[in-house]
Amino acid sequence: MMDKLKQNKIWLTVVAFGVLIVIILLMMLNQQKQNSPAAQESSYSSSVKASSSSEVDQDKANEKAYAKKAATMKGHVLGISEPLYTKWSKDDFRKWAKEYSALTDSDKHKASSNFGTTQTISNDEIDIRPLSNYADAVTNNDFESISYFETVKEFNKKHPAINPDDIK
């Protein structure tokens, strides 16, 4: 009888350890499943959607704030490589274009202008296109192609995502 009890005890211990090992293996398998790329993909995509939605909302809020700010700001804007304040009006550009067009080719190669901003554009011995492009656009009353805006508000309508405070 004692032998049978010992065998049953050993048998119960082996079964208990077996069940315990199976439970541990199932838990490890479940953990691996949660860390799989497929499981993380849905978490990642929902995170991206939330982030994107938040960015869109922030962008809209910024654009409203920029529009409000731009409406109160004074000055003309010229977007050469970056938006710059200019002291020049359309009439100043027209006067410059007329004077530039009257220059000889030799003088055009030496010409430069800052257009009332802090940045200077110059032609060189080889290329007169930089200033000639401006002169042609102004002569054709195409101020949009040189990114000239009479007001900061007008600039903001064309570029709502740019903070008017960043205009130099």
Side-chain angles (χ1 to χ4, degrees), residues 2 7 29 32 40 104:
M2 219 33 185
Q7 280 181 347
L29 184 64
Q32 267 190 327
Q40 288 181 352
T104 65

Side-chain angles (χ1 to χ4, degrees), residues 64 99 119 122 155 167:
K64 283 183 182 178
E99 290 171 3
Q119 185 177 359
S122 302
F155 169 80
I167 302 170

Side-chain angles (χ1 to χ4, degrees), residues 11-121:
W11 184 249
L12 284 174
T13 305
V14 168
V15 169
F17 276 122
V19 169
L20 191 58
I21 290 171
V22 168
I23 289 172
I24 290 171
L25 288 173
L26 286 173
M27 288 172 55
M28 287 172 56
L29 184 64
N30 189 35
Q31 183 69 28
Q32 267 190 327
K33 211 178 206 183
Q34 288 176 351
N35 289 337
S36 73
Q40 288 181 352
E41 185 177 321
S42 66
S43 171
Y44 176 76
S45 68
S46 66
S47 173
V48 166
K49 283 180 187 175
S51 174
S52 176
S53 172
S54 172
E55 272 185 46
V56 167
D57 292 344
Q58 184 62 48
D59 289 346
K60 286 181 182 177
N62 284 347
E63 287 179 9
K64 283 183 182 178
Y66 296 162
K68 196 180 261 188
K69 199 181 294 183
T72 63
M73 296 174 83
K74 304 261 186 255
H76 309 290
V77 179
L78 180 65
I80 297 172
S81 57
E82 59 185 291
L84 302 167
Y85 282 110
T86 176
K87 298 172 188 163
W88 287 19
S89 67
K90 283 185 176 182
D91 287 338
D92 294 322
F93 275 97
R94 287 183 185 110
K95 180 181 172 192
W96 170 84
K98 187 176 180 182
E99 290 171 3
Y100 177 83
S101 297
L103 293 175
T104 65
D105 280 348
S106 175
D107 288 338
K108 284 182 182 178
H109 283 284
K110 299 172 194 167
S112 67
S113 178
N114 65 7
F115 300 114
T117 69
T118 57
Q119 185 177 359
T120 300
I121 296 180

